[in-house]
């Protein structure tokens, strides 16, 4: 099933993206001229050692941070042209987020958390789609529970469902399995895989874990703010090997 | 530990600043009150010392009656006493002195001087005597019965010039005089802004009091004897039948200083009480802030404990912080008090009391008291949170911020019920006859019960109040509702200052509306005339009795009757029982003012008779024919016969006499109101015209219809009410500050959540809405509880006054609605800055927090 929002092949992209702190000789470049495209319907992983700029890259493409120079685009729209309110609305309607931890609002039920972006916009969304999403992540019997009444894995599944609820253009996941045990982690990644394969979603995931990265269709390797390599049809072993050489 | 604690204090300067605001406001109010009243007292002390500096002796009657409200009525002495005193060896000069009621009518036909809370209006004597209290600064002394002088400031204010014809109203009626001079009282252009009309001693005697009588004799010593010896000699020489006492200059100065001081102290006591209320409210804010910071610093404190700090050291650290806040806050408050004192002086100036310029008095007592109180308030408020902070177990270092659960709700409800039930138990006991004083204890117990119950009910009540928010504002409202409910202890602590403020406002409003209703009722039943002319001066002066006679003679007037009060000592069988008599004109009062006489026509009151209230009759075993001894303020004693008993005594008091009783006395008697019955067939408008003309001719007086009069009487309560509202305003400010601080800390605590919400698509405006609604719900929660407590308080106070004739209990519905609306607004205002800060939360910083 294809998401009805897709009308271009590129869900998000950056062009000559630079993010620097300070100036002159002391300037630090978190991103140093990054050019990347994320194709619709693909599961991409961004990997790299700490300080490589992978989180910064994701934050800038997702509209959570601003580039020093260059452009970041979602659906062809240059993010730097948007006001704070427009950026917020874009995040609400066209982007989905899955964070490593503290994904959910503790005072809302699981269902309210899933519908959160819709509720913020006072919309009901596509009822059939949402039911399908909830069934996919297997939470139909837990909808009225508060986050404190759910296990870590269940909480992450709620986060995944929320990310899907608005039928977004692109979903960003920041270390989604970092806080859970490996079994749950695999479960989460499987859901994300299914979201891409069965529901036509586009997912960009930042991770440092080769096993997680192997779920992706494509991996982008970052080091010192630059893209140093790309891998298609990854496996955990290939990734591990590649990471070793980047790290040295 | 001390060093670590102090470093902690400095590191969180914002929090230190915010917490200290509560202390600053309360101590500033206290400091300002002390500075202001000290300054006022000193100013007036110096004023009177200056005025009486040339007076070595003061001769006056020793017969005096003390009435309530600090009034005293003293017998007057014959003017011949002046010559007697002059002839005594040792006296170098003497002159008569008079100070009584008079009102000067301005160029616009309105009397000078403000009614109600303004300074009083006087008429006095002036002469060329060396030790005279007044000195002419412009023009000449008045020497003829048609001349008068005026005090400097009011002459300028009214734009009078030497040579103007001015109308003056006093006991002798309404007359026109020529202004021949402007005068000063010592160094002051006029004392405290009071108006003075000055006449030569003969005219003053005849016009202001009674011909041939004066208030006192001022004298100067030739130096051969000490002031005390001279005073003793004068008392010995003068005939004892005159009932004279002689004071030295120093003694009379001191007496006036302390009399004025007493009057001022009422006002400053009132201010002090309200500043302590403000400080009390501040306690809650400080307690709340320290509780929140203790919770937020759990992990840090747990770390210290894990490393080896003892519980006591943690507690001490927090107390040191409290001490720091207390010191800084008190010092700032102490000096801010100066600003407040200046503000109060400005307010006084507006009401007409002009103070001679001088510096503000900053006494040692002020410094010591304010600093001590500020410190104690802060430290005491912080003790419980500090103790709690020490109890944190080291393992808590691993936990993230804790949600404050109210502990066992059942236990809380049980304890609250215990207090509440004992409070009501005491109330029941008082209803059944126990001492009224126990009501104070009942109030305290109920208050404690509500405070303890607060967190237990905060959750359900917040959810209830927040329902419209959830419906109106969708998810943002729903989250605000949940946020207010999720931390019941914090919500109820934050709401506590609102609760207290609202409870006080509510109680006072209930009292006021009840009293208003009672007054309306009493006047409605007793006043059966068509119009009234009121004198607008509180207990001091009024209309000359001749005005009522003049009005009576107007065509269109069926009857006009003057009513007044007079200070008198009433004794029955040797026992003093009363201080005030109501004076009526039995020949004209019928059908106009009904005191509910039993079986006696009001016309039967003669000048040797007295009507007595049923209450007083029962208390003193009086029947028709009994004798009541009444001593008037001029010392004359009359044995009056009880000629009737009446039931409606709310307005008339316990003893009512005929105006004819005063015909042969030297008491200057005034009517405070004239009630008028219209002739049949006469148009209201025509009568109004002729009444207004008569009033204009006389000079003072306000014409009101019956309903206007009743409404006005009831509305007098409003003035006092306004004053109390104003004084409680500061407590409202502190409540707002409390909410702001809590919200700021709350927003800081929820940064992660805010970051998440912003990432997922909550706009800045939606973030502000959430904070705002949370604030509103908290404020309304406090208001609701406060309204309940206030109604209870009001009811208890009214109940304690049931012997005073106050029997009804009215719930002020408009007042309640206004309070709710204002609490809503308070919530919105308090949320402004925290909402703004919430939108400034850095998304990335917040998201990266663990």
């Amino acid at each position: 099933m294809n998401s009805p929002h897709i009308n271009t092949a590129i869900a998000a992209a950056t062009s000559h993206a630079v993010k620097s702190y300070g100036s002159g000789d002391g300037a630090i470049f978190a991103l140093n001229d990054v050019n990347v495209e994320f194709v619709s319907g693909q599961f991409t992983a961004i990997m790299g050692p700490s300080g490589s700029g992978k989180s910064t890259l994701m934050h800038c493409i997702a509209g959570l941070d601003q580039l020093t120079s260059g452009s970041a685009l979602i659906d062809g729209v240059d993010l730097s042209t948007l006001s704070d309110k427009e950026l917020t609305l874009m995040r609400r309607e066209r982007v989905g987020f899955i964070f490593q931890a503290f994904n959910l609002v503790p005072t809302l039920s699981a269902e309210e958390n899933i519908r959160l972006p819709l509720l913020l916009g006072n919309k009901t969304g596509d009822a059939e789609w949402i039911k399908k999403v909830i069934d996919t992540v297997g939470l139909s019997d837990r909808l009225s529970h508060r986050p404190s009444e759910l296990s870590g894995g269940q909480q992450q599944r709620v986060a995944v469902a929320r990310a899907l609820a608005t039928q977004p253009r692109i979903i960003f996941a920041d270390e989604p399995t970092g806080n859970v045990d490996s079994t749950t982690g695999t479960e989460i990644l499987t859901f994300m895989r299914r979201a891409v394969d069965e529901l036509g979603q586009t997912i960009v995931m930042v991770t440092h874990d080769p096993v997680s990265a192997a779920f992706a269709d494509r991996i982008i390797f970052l080091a010192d703010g630059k893209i140093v390599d790309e891998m298609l049809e990854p496996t955990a072993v290939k990734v591990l090997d590649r990471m070793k050489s980047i790290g040295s | 530990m001390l060093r670590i604690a102090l470093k902690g204090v400095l590191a969180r300067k914002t929090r230190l600043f915010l917490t200290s605001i509560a202390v600053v406001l309360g101590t500033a109010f206290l400091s300002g009150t002390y500075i202001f009243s000290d300054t006022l007292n000193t100013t007036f002390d110096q004023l009177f010392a200056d005025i009486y500096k040339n007076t070595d002796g003061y001769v006056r009657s020793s017969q005096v009656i003390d009435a309530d409200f600090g009034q005293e009525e003293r017998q007057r002495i014959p003017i011949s006493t002046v010559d007697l005193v002059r002839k005594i060896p040792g006296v170098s000069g003497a002159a008569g002195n008079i100070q009584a009621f008079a009102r000067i009518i301005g160029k616009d036909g309105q009397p000078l001087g403000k009614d109600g809370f303004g300074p009083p209006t006087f008429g006095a004597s002036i002469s060329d005597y060396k030790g005279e209290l007044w000195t002419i600064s412009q023009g000449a002394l008045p020497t003829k019965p048609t001349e008068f002088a005026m005090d400097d400031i009011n002459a300028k204010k009214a734009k009078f010039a030497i040579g103007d014809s001015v109308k003056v109203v006093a006991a002798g009626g309404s007359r026109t005089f020529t202004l021949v001079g402007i005068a000063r009282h010592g160094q002051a252009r006029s004392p405290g802004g009071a108006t003075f009309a000055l006449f030569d001693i003969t005219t003053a005697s005849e016009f202001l009091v009674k011909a041939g009588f004066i208030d006192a004799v001022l004298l100067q010593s030739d130096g051969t004897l000490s002031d005390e010896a001279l005073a003793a000699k004068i008392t010995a020489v003068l005939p004892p039948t005159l009932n004279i006492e002689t004071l030295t200059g120093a003694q009379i100065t001191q007496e006036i200083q302390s009399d004025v001081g007493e009057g001022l102290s009422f006002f400053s006591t009132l201010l002090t009480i309200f500043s302590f209320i403000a400080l009390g409210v501040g306690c809650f804010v400080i307690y709340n802030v320290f509780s929140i910071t203790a919770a937020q610093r759990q992990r840090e404190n747990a770390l210290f404990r894990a490393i080896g700090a003892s519980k006591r050291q943690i507690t001490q650290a927090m107390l040191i912080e409290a001490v720091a806040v207390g010191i800084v806050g008190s010092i700032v408050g102490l000096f801010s008090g100066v600003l407040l004192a200046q503000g109060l002086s400005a307010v006084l100036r507006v009401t007409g009391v002009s103070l001679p310029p001088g510096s503000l008095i900053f006494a040692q007592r002020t410094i010591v008291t304010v600093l001590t109180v500020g410190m104690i308030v802060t430290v005491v408020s912080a003790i419980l949170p500090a103790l709690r902070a020490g109890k944190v177990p080291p393992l808590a270092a691993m936990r993230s911020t804790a949600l404050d659960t109210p502990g066992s709700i059942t236990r809380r409800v049980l304890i609250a019920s215990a207090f509440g039930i004992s409070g009501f138990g005491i109330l029941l006991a008082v209803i059944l006859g126990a001492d009224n004083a126990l009501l104070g204890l009942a109030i305290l117990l109920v208050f404690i019960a509500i405070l303890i119950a607060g967190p237990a009910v905060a959750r359900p009540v917040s959810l209830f109040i927040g329902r419209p928010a959830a419906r109106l504002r969708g998810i943002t409202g729903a989250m605000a509702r949940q946020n207010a409910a999720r931390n019941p202890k914090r919500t109820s602590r934050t709401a506590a200052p609102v609760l207290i403020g609202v409870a006080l406002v509510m109680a006072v409003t209930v009292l006021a509306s009840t009293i208003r209703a009672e007054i309306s009722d009493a006047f409605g039943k007793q006043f059966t005339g068509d119009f009234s002319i009121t004198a607008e001066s509180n207990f001091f002066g009024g209309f000359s009795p001749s005005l009522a006679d003049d009005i009576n003679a107007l065509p269109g007037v069926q009857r006009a009757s003057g009513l007044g009060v007079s200070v008198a000592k009433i004794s029955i069988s040797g026992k003093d029982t009363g201080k005030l008599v109501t004076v009526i004109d039995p020949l004209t009062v019928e059908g106009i003012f009904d005191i509910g006489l039993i079986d006696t026509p009001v016309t039967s009151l003669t000048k040797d008779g007295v009507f007595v209230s049923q209450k007083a009759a029962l208390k003193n075993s009086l029947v028709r024919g009994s004798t009541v001894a009444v001593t008037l303020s001029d010392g004359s004693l009359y044995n009056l016969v009880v000629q009737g008993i009446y039931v409606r005594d709310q307005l008339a008091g316990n003893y009512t006499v005929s105006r004819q009783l005063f015909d042969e006395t030297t008491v200057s008697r005034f009517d405070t109101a004239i009630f008028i019955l219209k002739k049949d067939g006469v148009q209201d408008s025509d009568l109004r015209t002729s009444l207004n003309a008569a009033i204009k001719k006389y000079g003072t007086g306000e014409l009101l219809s019956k309903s206007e009069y009743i409404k006005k009487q009831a509305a007098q309560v409003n003035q006092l009410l306004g004053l109390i509202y104003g004084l409680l305003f500061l407590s409202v400010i502190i409540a707002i500050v409390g909410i702001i601080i809590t919200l700021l800390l709350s927003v800081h605590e929820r940064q992660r959540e805010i970051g998440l919400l912003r990432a997922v698509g909550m706009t800045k405006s939606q973030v502000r809405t959430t904070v705002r609604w949370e604030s509103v719900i908290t404020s309304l929660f406090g208001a609701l509880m406060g309204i309940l407590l206030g109604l209870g308080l009001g009811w208890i106070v009214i109940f304690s006054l049931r012997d005073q004739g106050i029997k009804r209990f009215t719930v002020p519905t408009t007042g309640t609605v206004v309070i709710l609306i204002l609490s809503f607004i308070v919530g919105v205002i308090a949320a402004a800055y925290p909402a703004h800060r919430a939108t400034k939360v850095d998304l990335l910083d917040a998201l990266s927090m663990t």
Side-chain angles (χ1 to χ4, degrees), chain B residues 765-781:
Chain B
S765 148
Q766 284 175 313
V767 171
R768 278 194 290 266
T769 306
T770 316
V771 175
R772 203 179 304 129
W773 276 98
E774 185 184 338
S775 174
V776 165
I777 292 172
T778 307
S779 178
L780 283 177
F781 170 71

mmCIF file of all heavy atoms in Angstrom, chain B residues 765-781:
data_model
loop_
_atom_site.group_PDB
_atom_site.id
_atom_site.type_symbol
_atom_site.label_atom_id
_atom_site.label_comp_id
_atom_site.label_asym_id
_atom_site.label_seq_id
_atom_site.Cartn_x
_atom_site.Cartn_y
_atom_site.Cartn_z
ATOM 1 N N SER B 765 2.764 28.501 20.435
ATOM 2 C CA SER B 765 1.512 29.006 20.985
ATOM 3 C C SER B 765 0.786 27.924 21.766
ATOM 4 O O SER B 765 0.208 28.181 22.816
ATOM 5 C CB SER B 765 0.672 29.549 19.827
ATOM 6 O OG SER B 765 -0.675 29.375 20.098
ATOM 7 N N GLN B 766 0.838 26.699 21.276
ATOM 8 C CA GLN B 766 0.191 25.601 21.998
ATOM 9 C C GLN B 766 0.895 25.317 23.324
ATOM 10 O O GLN B 766 0.246 25.004 24.328
ATOM 11 C CB GLN B 766 0.174 24.332 21.143
ATOM 12 C CG GLN B 766 -0.874 24.369 20.050
ATOM 13 C CD GLN B 766 -0.796 23.160 19.154
ATOM 14 O OE1 GLN B 766 0.277 22.776 18.704
ATOM 15 N NE2 GLN B 766 -1.939 22.557 18.881
ATOM 16 N N VAL B 767 2.210 25.458 23.334
ATOM 17 C CA VAL B 767 2.960 25.269 24.585
ATOM 18 C C VAL B 767 2.506 26.304 25.608
ATOM 19 O O VAL B 767 2.241 25.983 26.768
ATOM 20 C CB VAL B 767 4.482 25.401 24.339
ATOM 21 C CG1 VAL B 767 5.225 25.435 25.659
ATOM 22 C CG2 VAL B 767 4.982 24.260 23.484
ATOM 23 N N ARG B 768 2.377 27.547 25.146
ATOM 24 C CA ARG B 768 1.940 28.608 26.051
ATOM 25 C C ARG B 768 0.550 28.314 26.594
ATOM 26 O O ARG B 768 0.271 28.507 27.766
ATOM 27 C CB ARG B 768 1.926 29.955 25.309
ATOM 28 C CG ARG B 768 3.278 30.632 25.234
ATOM 29 C CD ARG B 768 3.112 32.080 24.815
ATOM 30 N NE ARG B 768 2.691 32.191 23.436
ATOM 31 C CZ ARG B 768 3.531 32.349 22.425
ATOM 32 N NH1 ARG B 768 4.824 32.428 22.633
ATOM 33 N NH2 ARG B 768 3.069 32.448 21.192
ATOM 34 N N THR B 769 -0.320 27.835 25.703
ATOM 35 C CA THR B 769 -1.685 27.516 26.132
ATOM 36 C C THR B 769 -1.673 26.484 27.243
ATOM 37 O O THR B 769 -2.415 26.619 28.220
ATOM 38 C CB THR B 769 -2.502 26.988 24.943
ATOM 39 O OG1 THR B 769 -2.426 27.933 23.886
ATOM 40 C CG2 THR B 769 -3.948 26.786 25.329
ATOM 41 N N THR B 770 -0.853 25.465 27.090
ATOM 42 C CA THR B 770 -0.802 24.415 28.110
ATOM 43 C C THR B 770 -0.421 25.002 29.462
ATOM 44 O O THR B 770 -1.063 24.744 30.477
ATOM 45 C CB THR B 770 0.225 23.339 27.731
ATOM 46 O OG1 THR B 770 0.081 23.026 26.367
ATOM 47 C CG2 THR B 770 0.053 22.117 28.583
ATOM 48 N N VAL B 771 0.646 25.805 29.461
ATOM 49 C CA VAL B 771 1.108 26.401 30.714
ATOM 50 C C VAL B 771 0.030 27.301 31.302
ATOM 51 O O VAL B 771 -0.249 27.277 32.497
ATOM 52 C CB VAL B 771 2.412 27.203 30.483
ATOM 53 C CG1 VAL B 771 2.810 27.925 31.751
ATOM 54 C CG2 VAL B 771 3.520 26.278 30.027
ATOM 55 N N ARG B 772 -0.595 28.078 30.411
ATOM 56 C CA ARG B 772 -1.597 29.028 30.879
ATOM 57 C C ARG B 772 -2.765 28.319 31.543
ATOM 58 O O ARG B 772 -3.227 28.686 32.618
ATOM 59 C CB ARG B 772 -2.099 29.855 29.701
ATOM 60 C CG ARG B 772 -2.703 31.192 30.113
ATOM 61 C CD ARG B 772 -3.171 31.995 28.938
ATOM 62 N NE ARG B 772 -2.103 32.217 27.970
ATOM 63 C CZ ARG B 772 -2.217 31.976 26.679
ATOM 64 N NH1 ARG B 772 -3.337 31.485 26.189
ATOM 65 N NH2 ARG B 772 -1.217 32.199 25.865
ATOM 66 N N TRP B 773 -3.261 27.272 30.902
ATOM 67 C CA TRP B 773 -4.407 26.566 31.459
ATOM 68 C C TRP B 773 -4.067 25.862 32.759
ATOM 69 O O TRP B 773 -4.885 25.780 33.671
ATOM 70 C CB TRP B 773 -4.986 25.579 30.439
ATOM 71 C CG TRP B 773 -5.919 26.267 29.508
ATOM 72 C CD1 TRP B 773 -5.643 26.722 28.254
ATOM 73 C CD2 TRP B 773 -7.283 26.619 29.761
ATOM 74 N NE1 TRP B 773 -6.749 27.339 27.705
ATOM 75 C CE2 TRP B 773 -7.763 27.285 28.605
ATOM 76 C CE3 TRP B 773 -8.134 26.442 30.841
ATOM 77 C CZ2 TRP B 773 -9.070 27.763 28.515
ATOM 78 C CZ3 TRP B 773 -9.437 26.921 30.751
ATOM 79 C CH2 TRP B 773 -9.891 27.573 29.600
ATOM 80 N N GLU B 774 -2.842 25.364 32.823
ATOM 81 C CA GLU B 774 -2.430 24.741 34.080
ATOM 82 C C GLU B 774 -2.467 25.772 35.199
ATOM 83 O O GLU B 774 -2.932 25.502 36.303
ATOM 84 C CB GLU B 774 -1.016 24.171 33.933
ATOM 85 C CG GLU B 774 -0.562 23.407 35.159
ATOM 86 C CD GLU B 774 0.879 22.930 35.021
ATOM 87 O OE1 GLU B 774 1.352 22.824 33.870
ATOM 88 O OE2 GLU B 774 1.514 22.677 36.049
ATOM 89 N N SER B 775 -1.980 26.967 34.892
ATOM 90 C CA SER B 775 -1.986 28.050 35.869
ATOM 91 C C SER B 775 -3.408 28.413 36.271
ATOM 92 O O SER B 775 -3.709 28.592 37.452
ATOM 93 C CB SER B 775 -1.272 29.262 35.264
ATOM 94 O OG SER B 775 -1.382 30.375 36.123
ATOM 95 N N VAL B 776 -4.285 28.514 35.286
ATOM 96 C CA VAL B 776 -5.670 28.893 35.564
ATOM 97 C C VAL B 776 -6.354 27.846 36.445
ATOM 98 O O VAL B 776 -7.061 28.181 37.385
ATOM 99 C CB VAL B 776 -6.450 29.087 34.253
ATOM 100 C CG1 VAL B 776 -7.939 29.126 34.518
ATOM 101 C CG2 VAL B 776 -6.026 30.375 33.573
ATOM 102 N N ILE B 777 -6.122 26.574 36.100
ATOM 103 C CA ILE B 777 -6.747 25.507 36.891
ATOM 104 C C ILE B 777 -6.265 25.567 38.337
ATOM 105 O O ILE B 777 -7.043 25.443 39.277
ATOM 106 C CB ILE B 777 -6.457 24.121 36.287
ATOM 107 C CG1 ILE B 777 -7.171 23.982 34.943
ATOM 108 C CG2 ILE B 777 -6.900 23.012 37.226
ATOM 109 C CD1 ILE B 777 -6.802 22.731 34.188
ATOM 110 N N THR B 778 -4.955 25.773 38.518
ATOM 111 C CA THR B 778 -4.407 25.878 39.872
ATOM 112 C C THR B 778 -5.045 27.042 40.620
ATOM 113 O O THR B 778 -5.470 26.904 41.771
ATOM 114 C CB THR B 778 -2.883 26.107 39.825
ATOM 115 O OG1 THR B 778 -2.293 25.096 39.023
ATOM 116 C CG2 THR B 778 -2.292 26.060 41.217
ATOM 117 N N SER B 779 -5.090 28.180 39.950
ATOM 118 C CA SER B 779 -5.646 29.371 40.590
ATOM 119 C C SER B 779 -7.121 29.171 40.946
ATOM 120 O O SER B 779 -7.566 29.512 42.041
ATOM 121 C CB SER B 779 -5.474 30.563 39.650
ATOM 122 O OG SER B 779 -6.044 31.713 40.217
ATOM 123 N N LEU B 780 -7.892 28.587 40.037
ATOM 124 C CA LEU B 780 -9.319 28.369 40.303
ATOM 125 C C LEU B 780 -9.510 27.354 41.419
ATOM 126 O O LEU B 780 -10.453 27.464 42.202
ATOM 127 C CB LEU B 780 -10.030 27.893 39.032
ATOM 128 C CG LEU B 780 -10.316 28.991 38.019
ATOM 129 C CD1 LEU B 780 -10.951 28.409 36.767
ATOM 130 C CD2 LEU B 780 -11.244 30.043 38.621
ATOM 131 N N PHE B 781 -8.622 26.371 41.476
ATOM 132 C CA PHE B 781 -8.696 25.402 42.568
ATOM 133 C C PHE B 781 -8.583 26.126 43.897
ATOM 134 O O PHE B 781 -9.381 25.934 44.816
ATOM 135 C CB PHE B 781 -7.581 24.366 42.410
ATOM 136 C CG PHE B 781 -7.427 23.475 43.601
ATOM 137 C CD1 PHE B 781 -8.381 22.517 43.889
ATOM 138 C CD2 PHE B 781 -6.323 23.572 44.427
ATOM 139 C CE1 PHE B 781 -8.243 21.692 44.997
ATOM 140 C CE2 PHE B 781 -6.181 22.754 45.523
ATOM 141 C CZ PHE B 781 -7.145 21.804 45.814
#
